[in-house]
Amino acid sequence: MEYKELLENARKNMAPNCRVCRECNGMACRGEIPGTGGKGTGAAFIHSYEALARIKINMDLIYTNKGQDTACSLFGKTFAGPVFAAPISGLSNNYNGYFNEKTYAVELVPGMVAAGCAAFTGDGAADYFFTDPLCAVKAVGGVAVPTIKPWDKAKVLEKIRLAEDAGAMALCMDIDSAGLPLLAAAGKPVCSKSVDELREIISSTKLPFLLKGIMTPEGARKAVEAGAYGIIVSNHGGRVLDHTPAPVEVLPAICDAVGGRIKVLADGAIRTGADGF
């Protein structure tokens, strides 16, 4: 399949919620939640895309050609490159139902493993948003990272046990989903967590635990204090708070703040291989 054909299929299968724009910059879908856009004015989504696009690649072809090695090590495993699929859930609400939680995971999770990388799976208002993808996680020997929303402690611990039973290689909590309007509307509110609360959750499992949604150096230092294996610098695609900075803008200061003590990943507006590079 060529890229042009892929786009044509996407326009047919994902419309009208996603327009499959030439540039996925958040302009056409601004404020559309449910849907694929950013919250409110959509400024956080749009700005994240524009900030990343402003970074340019220096070209220097005078060097000893020894080839390139993009391999990285995380969770005690080696991957072909530091590229992972971000957690997505609510396929029927945010898209048009072409995929559901299970059919999406069944395609995504083994596909990422085949590429030498791995996927993060999602969570949401309905329990099956979290549990349905676990069959795909188990089928690949656990080479995936289930992501749990910041529910109350009992619910979080319950989902940790389910992920452990599926053999997951690591766990993640997307603390940046605190305040998601769709969860509140469904009567399933999530909330922020203190350092002590996070430390208790992280210490409840032997699996590496990441915190997604860190956007300040102080937040990064708190993640270290809580015992996190790593963090993901992310503003949740601009879908929980309008007018936030772009992840790529705050990334250098956050890396300086943690000083190599934990792993640092970044999420937001990454659309192409050039963006990942």
Side-chain angles (χ1 to χ4, degrees):
M1 177 182 290
E2 294 183 356
Y3 188 59
K4 181 179 179 181
E5 184 182 356
L6 184 148
L7 291 179
E8 290 172 352
N9 286 343
R11 291 189 182 97
K12 177 178 66 177
N13 295 324
M14 298 171 69
N17 298 52
C18 177
R19 282 77 160 177
V20 193
C21 299
R22 183 182 181 88
E23 292 185 347
C24 182
N25 56 15
M27 297 290 287
C29 57
R30 62 173 70 195
E32 295 185 4
I33 300 177
T36 57
K39 192 172 184 178
T41 66
F45 183 144
I46 295 166
H47 179 65
S48 295
Y49 178 88
E50 292 175 343
L52 187 57
R54 284 196 294 270
I55 298 175
K56 304 305 177 185
I57 300 171
N58 291 326
M59 186 173 178
D60 179 5
L61 298 178
I62 303 176
Y63 63 94
T64 301
N65 187 3
K66 296 181 179 179
Q68 291 77 39
D69 181 7
T70 61
C72 69
S73 296
L74 286 167
F75 320 122
K77 299 181 183 296
T78 299
F79 298 95
V83 180
F84 299 84
I88 296 177
S89 61
L91 278 299
S92 59
N93 294 327
N94 294 309
Y95 296 90
N96 70 350
Y98 177 75
F99 283 116
N100 59 40
E101 312 305 315
K102 181 174 287 188
T103 57
Y104 177 66
V106 165
E107 296 290 341
L108 176 71
V109 173
M112 288 299 292
V113 172
C117 300
F120 284 63
T121 60
D123 192 9
D127 286 341
Y128 72 85
F129 283 16
F130 181 81
T131 56
D132 277 6
L134 292 180
C135 64
V137 175
K138 189 171 185 177
V140 296
V143 185
V145 185
T147 303
I148 303 169
K149 298 207 176 296
W151 313 109
D152 62 71
K153 187 177 74 171
K155 176 65 74 174
V156 170
L157 295 180
E158 175 188 338
K159 295 196 173 187
I160 287 175
R161 300 287 91 83
L162 291 172
E164 290 173 336
D165 291 343
M169 65 179 177
L171 289 165
C172 180
M173 176 177 284
D174 56 339
I175 57 173
D176 53 354
S177 66
L180 270 177
L182 292 179
L183 295 178
K188 296 286 187 71
V190 290
C191 57
S192 60
K193 301 292 183 191
S194 69
V195 170
D196 288 341
E197 288 173 313
L198 289 172
R199 185 185 296 113
E200 185 176 0
I201 289 168
I202 292 169
S203 64
S204 72
T205 180
K206 294 181 180 180
L207 294 177
F209 204 106
L210 297 99
L211 295 175
K212 176 178 175 287
I214 303 299
M215 285 290 289
T216 64
E218 180 59 26
R221 286 188 285 265
K222 290 177 183 178
V224 173
E225 186 181 350
Y229 171 87
I231 58 175
I232 303 175
V233 179
S234 170
N235 64 3
H236 209 88
R239 292 170 62 77
V240 295
L241 184 64
D242 205 355
H243 307 298
T244 59
V248 74
E249 290 176 318
V250 299
L251 183 60
I254 287 174
C255 288
D256 289 343
V258 298
R261 289 175 288 172
I262 57 176
K263 303 293 186 182
V264 180
L265 292 81
D267 165 76
I270 297 169
R271 302 286 179 262
T272 67
D275 292 335
F277 176 81

